[in-house]
Amino acid sequence: MKLFPIVAILAMMATLAFGDECEVCVKVIDDVRAGMSKEDSRQKPKIEEALGDYCANKEGKLSSKEKKLCYYVDPIKRDVAQPFSTGMPSLKVCKRINQQNPEICTVKFPVQAEKMEKKDISKLRVKQLKQILSERGVECKGCVEKSEFIQRVQETAHLAAEEL
């Protein structure tokens, strides 16, 4: 009985550690699953068709990251449909198709720095700060210390373009 709490704690830690893993893929799979009936979600051709319709972006609601994921998933729709049809959770589906195309789980949503306070921005890694600056089209020449990157992110907050 003493083993159960340890296993539960380890499972929670794994969930927290891998929470952002495959975040765009999980969102796309969840959106496709939400748009399908229970019966259709068991049929592979219907799943492939639903993925195609979702990625066609007829309503123009997909973000650039979701479009990028659709670009990676489109050639392997049949391989996505197999675990999807068994009712496998979205994260497991994404990890399975990530074995065939390792770029699937590298697609991440951008960090929303414009909504963060200074104390929250200071918690970001330098790599994330550099990514925010590059998305804004700004270089930080001469920046060496983390505080310089934080200051530059705050100075360029007006350049942040929000996706619709």
Side-chain angles (χ1 to χ4, degrees):
M1 280 299 173
K2 292 181 180 180
L3 186 62
F4 180 72
I6 294 171
V7 173
I9 291 172
L10 289 175
M12 282 182 13
M13 288 173 53
T15 303
L16 292 174
F18 300 111
D20 292 342
E21 186 178 12
C22 302
E23 61 186 345
V24 178
C25 179
V26 169
K27 182 189 180 307
V28 168
I29 297 294
D30 285 342
D31 288 350
V32 170
R33 187 170 277 150
M36 298 180 71
S37 68
K38 186 113 175 144
E39 298 82 35
D40 287 349
S41 67
R42 301 279 183 226
Q43 300 174 10
K44 294 176 196 171
K46 297 278 187 181
I47 296 168
E48 292 176 34
E49 183 182 336
L51 276 168
D53 291 344
Y54 180 85
C55 290
N57 195 24
K58 294 176 184 171
E59 299 167 9
K61 293 192 299 187
L62 296 183
S63 70
S64 62
K65 300 299 181 178
E66 291 167 319
K67 290 176 188 174
K68 184 174 185 177
L69 185 86
C70 284
Y71 174 78
Y72 292 142
V73 168
D74 193 47
I76 57 171
K77 277 192 247 183
R78 183 152 292 158
D79 297 326
V80 175
Q82 170 57 38
F84 190 108
S85 67
T86 62
M88 187 178 284
S90 301
L91 182 59
K92 284 193 175 193
V93 172
C94 292
K95 285 183 177 182
R96 168 121 5 131
I97 61 176
N98 190 53
Q99 293 172 350
Q100 294 171 338
N101 187 348
E103 295 173 327
I104 294 215
C105 284
T106 61
V107 181
K108 306 244 184 246
F109 287 115
V111 178
Q112 299 293 327
E114 51 275 357
K115 297 176 184 173
M116 299 176 102
E117 295 181 24
K118 182 178 185 231
K119 65 179 181 179
D120 294 332
I121 291 175
S122 65
K123 293 179 183 177
L124 296 175
R125 296 176 180 262
V126 173
K127 181 178 180 179
Q128 292 171 313
L129 295 169
K130 287 180 179 179
Q131 179 185 5
I132 291 167
L133 290 172
S134 70
E135 288 171 358
R136 294 178 181 175
V138 177
E139 291 185 23
C140 193
K141 292 190 178 193
C143 293
V144 179
E145 298 293 324
K146 182 177 180 178
S147 59
E148 295 170 333
F149 285 102
I150 292 169
Q151 181 180 1
R152 191 71 173 138
V153 166
Q154 291 173 334
E155 290 172 356
T156 60
H158 66 282
L159 297 175
E162 292 199 25
E163 288 188 29
L164 298 176

